[in-house]
Amino acid sequence: MTYPRKARIFEVGARDGLQNEKQIVPADIKVELIERLVDAGVSAIETGSYVSPKWVPQMADTADVMSKLTRRDGVTYAVLTPNMKGYEGALASNADEIEIFSAASEIFNQKNINCSIAESLERFAPVTEAATSQNIPYRASVSCALGSPFGEEITPQAVADVSKKLYDMGAYEISIADTIGVGTPIKTKKVLEAVAEVIPLDVIGVHFHDTYGQALANYHAALEMGISRLDSSVAGLGGCPYAPGATGNVATEDVVYMLDGMGIESGIDLPSLVKTAWFISDYLGRPPVSSVARAMKGKIH
Ligand SMILES: CC(C)(COP(=O)([O-])OP(=O)([O-])OC[C@H]1O[C@@H](n2cnc3c(N)ncnc32)[C@H](O)[C@@H]1OP(=O)([O-])[O-])[C@@H](O)C(=O)NCCC(=O)NCCSC(=O)C[C@@](C)(O)CC(=O)[O-]
């Protein structure tokens, strides 16, 4: 078993996190959150999404957020784009990279982006062609890789098939998402092994929600396989509005604490990150779900 020496955290709190909040968080707070995360050492960050404001009103101010951010050299500011209209928004706001997204569940895909898996890949084809010609890197996400909120069986092969198609479309990273946080370590390994049979291990990323408290164990399983591209969300914010029952992503503080303990470099300063988790949690009026953020509160304030 060889653990990676370094891990790349892709921070999703300002997008995946805040897209599911009942209250609309103002652009200025999102900007402060993103800038504090970057100050803590985050070097790849999702700042929002260019999706329909009727579908996800919480992200309607992404252009405003992008225009207000003070950008830092060496940091990747990424946005989620479901179609060409979203891509144009990303381009207009000078995003460093975009994310396209499909799923291993037909029902989820239909509810999330109003089309089948096959149609979503067709819809993304012009986006990836435009991004390639304009040198915008893109990553791709496969939702419901470890289970569907609608009860369908999701086989490792189904996850591998969509992953391969997205990889063949030129995505530099394929993020395997446990949207509803139902995975356990052995199952996670089986799915990741199936994906690693069809695409290179070093392009595989993981994006696990913590609904059943299994996310850290599943990250550990991925690290054991040598996977080092990890998505997480400050304060454990998050969920998907189109995945009933999904709670937050694994908290970035919990992942960084585990990586620090394993001697795996993330470049993120834990006390600054914990302060940021409390900043957004205080704004939202509830404590972070992260055990690490709660345990460290008295030590950093
Ligand atoms: C994909 C659509 C647009 C299809 O939605 P649709 O209704 O089929 O699209 P349409 O093309 O018929 O357009 C309908 C309206 O939306 C507008 N529209 C169309 N596109 C855009 C756009 N890009 N930006 C802004 N507006 C847009 C368009 O202009 C039109 O406006 P109207 O004429 O009615 O006023 C819709 O289903 C949608 O926006 N879905 C996004 C849902 C979403 O954001 N879900 C959460 C993100 S995925 C996620 O969280 C999972 C992930 C990635 O984190 C991994 C995991 O954990 O699983």
Side-chain angles (χ1 to χ4, degrees):
M1 164 193 330
T2 320
Y3 294 112
R5 234 173 16 87
K6 290 184 176 178
R8 192 289 325 265
I9 301 262
F10 185 83
E11 167 60 48
V12 301
R15 195 280 302 169
D16 205 354
L18 297 183
Q19 76 179 6
N20 210 38
E21 283 300 320
K22 287 202 173 57
Q23 57 174 303
I24 304 270
V25 175
D28 287 345
I29 297 289
K30 292 179 180 172
V31 168
E32 184 166 353
L33 173 64
I34 293 164
E35 291 180 349
R36 281 176 179 249
L37 287 163
V38 169
D39 285 344
V42 167
S43 61
I45 188 158
E46 224 178 4
T47 56
S49 56
Y50 285 105
V51 298
S52 162
K54 287 184 192 143
W55 285 62
V56 185
Q58 294 88 338
M59 291 291 113
D61 60 359
T62 294
D64 197 18
V65 171
M66 288 295 277
S67 72
K68 288 180 166 156
L69 276 174
T70 303
R71 304 270 190 108
R72 186 82 62 78
D73 284 349
V75 175
T76 299
Y77 299 86
V79 292
L80 196 79
T81 55
N83 52 19
M84 275 310 282
K85 185 164 180 160
Y87 176 73
E88 280 148 22
L91 209 58
S93 64
N94 216 9
D96 295 310
E97 69 173 49
I98 59 162
E99 177 168 351
I100 57 173
F101 51 110
S102 189
S105 153
E106 282 291 355
I107 304 176
F108 173 79
N109 215 53
Q110 218 34 270
K111 293 198 185 279
N112 194 41
I113 51 175
N114 207 18
C115 63
S116 69
I117 296 169
E119 284 163 347
S120 71
L121 300 176
E122 279 168 30
R123 194 186 275 177
F124 286 124
V127 175
T128 59
E129 278 157 28
T132 302
S133 73
Q134 283 160 314
N135 287 323
I136 310 277
Y138 45 98
R139 63 176 221 146
S141 166
V142 181
S143 288
C144 301
L146 287 152
S148 161
F150 306 105
E152 313 141 276
E153 194 202 344
I154 304 291
T155 63
Q157 197 50 51
V159 181
D161 287 348
V162 186
S163 302
K164 170 90 169 87
K165 286 178 182 149
L166 290 164
Y167 178 68
D168 288 346
M169 289 169 76
Y172 78 87
E173 174 179 323
I174 308 296
S175 177
I176 304 300
D178 184 7
T179 313
I180 53 167
V182 288
T184 49
I186 304 284
K187 184 162 186 203
T188 299
K189 266 197 170 164
K190 279 195 182 134
V191 169
L192 294 173
E193 278 162 5
V195 175
E197 296 229 332
V198 295
I199 65 174
L201 188 74
D202 64 1
V203 305
I204 300 176
V206 282
H207 173 112
F208 297 152
H209 288 249
D210 201 27
T211 319
Y212 285 80
Q214 303 295 300
L216 273 186
N218 296 340
Y219 276 88
H220 187 266
L223 287 163
E224 273 185 341
M225 289 177 63
I227 289 170
S228 61
R229 299 171 177 274
L230 317 177
D231 288 9
S232 57
S233 174
V234 66
L237 301 174
C240 177
Y242 294 100
T247 63
N249 293 74
V250 66
T252 309
E253 311 85 274
D254 294 358
V255 176
V256 170
Y257 181 85
M258 181 173 84
L259 294 176
D260 285 354
M262 294 171 76
I264 300 174
E265 268 175 58
S266 68
I268 298 177
D269 176 65
L270 191 56
S272 310
L273 180 63
V274 167
K275 278 186 198 156
T276 306
W278 278 99
F279 158 76
I280 190 64
S281 300
D282 286 345
Y283 178 82
L284 294 170
R286 56 167 195 265
V289 294
S290 156
S291 306
V292 170
R294 282 184 272 120
M296 284 180 67
K297 187 180 187 202
K299 298 181 183 149
I300 47 116
H301 273 205

